[in-house]
């Protein structure tokens, strides 16, 4: 059996009891599991399966060990155009200057998603709604992602959906990539955060939860996390999922589509 097939076999065994979708984990997850096996002084995947069966704490930590950290700026560009032209102006008209707009990105990775929100604000919303305020919170489990977000240095594919105008206005070219200007970096407050354990900020106007709960989680885990996210939204709050994601039974009964095409929802 190839290394990939052995890892698939391992995933098929350990993921279902944890309500995780085994098909979604990639090479990077395999490397992390192998490093953990080595750290524990075990001999291989079968040995690690036995270890997981005997150690509840290790099993509880497995979703975070398998964790995939892939993102990019303005991922699924058409969604951002829709948010900037329709959804966010609607919220801003409603709340006016009574308070800041509150946006959170759950699983904010290296900052690509919350910084895209900041760039959308700078380029489309601030000029149309001068004087209004925005609070963006980036919530992320992975410490190295948080460090990269703080540095704001990006290269390659991560920037492929950024408009050239935005790139030249808000990034500075450096050797090997581009650094986001401090003025934009300061707009996002990042927090080390575990969705499975920590409390979410309350009263949010818009929450991004893309390619996390609705990609990797199943069953009770997904239902519990959906309820948790819904409780972070205010009455007319908006939940944004990834274009390849779909609320299924039973979560779909907790969410009403605002746009089925863009995977934008409101609590039922
Ligand atoms: C596949 S990436 C998606 C990033 C971004 N939302 C996007 O759609 O481009 C999933 C992110 O969620 C983070 N993550 C995974 N489990 C988490 C948890 N329990 N709490 C917070 N963040 C988590 C990962 O570290 C990773 O950065």
């Amino acid at each position: 059996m190839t290394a990939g097939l052995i890892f698939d076999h391992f995933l098929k065994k350990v993921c279902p009891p944890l309500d995780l979708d085994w098909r979604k984990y990639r090479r990077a997850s395999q490397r992390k599991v192998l490093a953990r096996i080595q750290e524990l002084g075990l001999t291989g995947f079968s040995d690690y399966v036995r270890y997981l069966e005997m150690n509840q704490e290790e099993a509880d930590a497995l979703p975070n060990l398998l964790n995939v950290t892939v993102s990019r700026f303005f991922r699924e560009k058409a969604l951002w155009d829709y948010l900037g032209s329709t959804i966010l102006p609607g919220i801003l008209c409603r709340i006016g200057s009574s308070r800041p707009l509150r946006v959170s990105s759950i699983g904010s990775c290296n900052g690509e998603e919350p910084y895209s929100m900041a760039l959308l604000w700078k380029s489309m919303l601030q000029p149309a709604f001068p004087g209004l305020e925005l609070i963006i919170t980036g919530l992320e489990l992975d410490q190295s992602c948080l460090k990269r977000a703080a540095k704001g240095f990006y290269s390659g594919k991560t920037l492929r959906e950024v408009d050239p105008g935005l790139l030249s206005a808000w990034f500075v070219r450096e050797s090997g990539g581009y650094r986001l200007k401090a003025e934009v970096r300061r707009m996002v407050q990042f927090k080390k955060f575990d969705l499975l354990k920590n409390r979410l900020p309350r009263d949010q106007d818009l929450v991004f939860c893309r390619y996390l709960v609705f990609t990797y989680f199943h069953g009770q885990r997904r239902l519990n996390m959906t309820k948790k996210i819904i409780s972070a939204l205010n009455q007319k709050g908006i939940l944004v999922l990834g274009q390849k994601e779909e609320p299924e039974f039973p979560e779909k009964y907790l969410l009403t589509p605002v746009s089925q095409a863009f995977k934008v929802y409101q609590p039922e």
Side-chain angles (χ1 to χ4, degrees), residues 11-12 15-16 18-26 66 213-219 221-222 248:
L11 290 173
K12 279 184 207 170
C15 286
L18 292 169
D19 280 339
L20 300 176
D21 187 341
W22 72 270
R23 289 160 302 184
K24 302 290 166 55
Y25 294 102
R26 300 157 179 235
L66 292 171
V213 171
F214 289 86
T215 292
Y216 298 101
F217 298 172
H218 269 178
R221 187 183 292 276
R222 180 154 78 188
E248 289 167 24

Side-chain angles (χ1 to χ4, degrees), residues 67-68 70-71 75 107 109 113 140 193-195 210-212:
N67 188 24
V68 177
V70 176
S71 187
R75 184 176 200 168
C109 213
E113 191 169 79
E140 174 55 47
F193 173 85
D194 184 348
L195 181 62
R210 303 164 77 212
Y211 300 110
L212 173 52

Side-chain angles (χ1 to χ4, degrees), residues 98-117:
S98 62
R99 59 169 178 81
L101 174 74
R102 291 186 278 262
V103 175
S104 291
S105 159
I106 305 174
S108 54
C109 213
N110 309 305
E112 297 88 339
E113 191 169 79
Y115 284 147
S116 298
M117 179 63 218

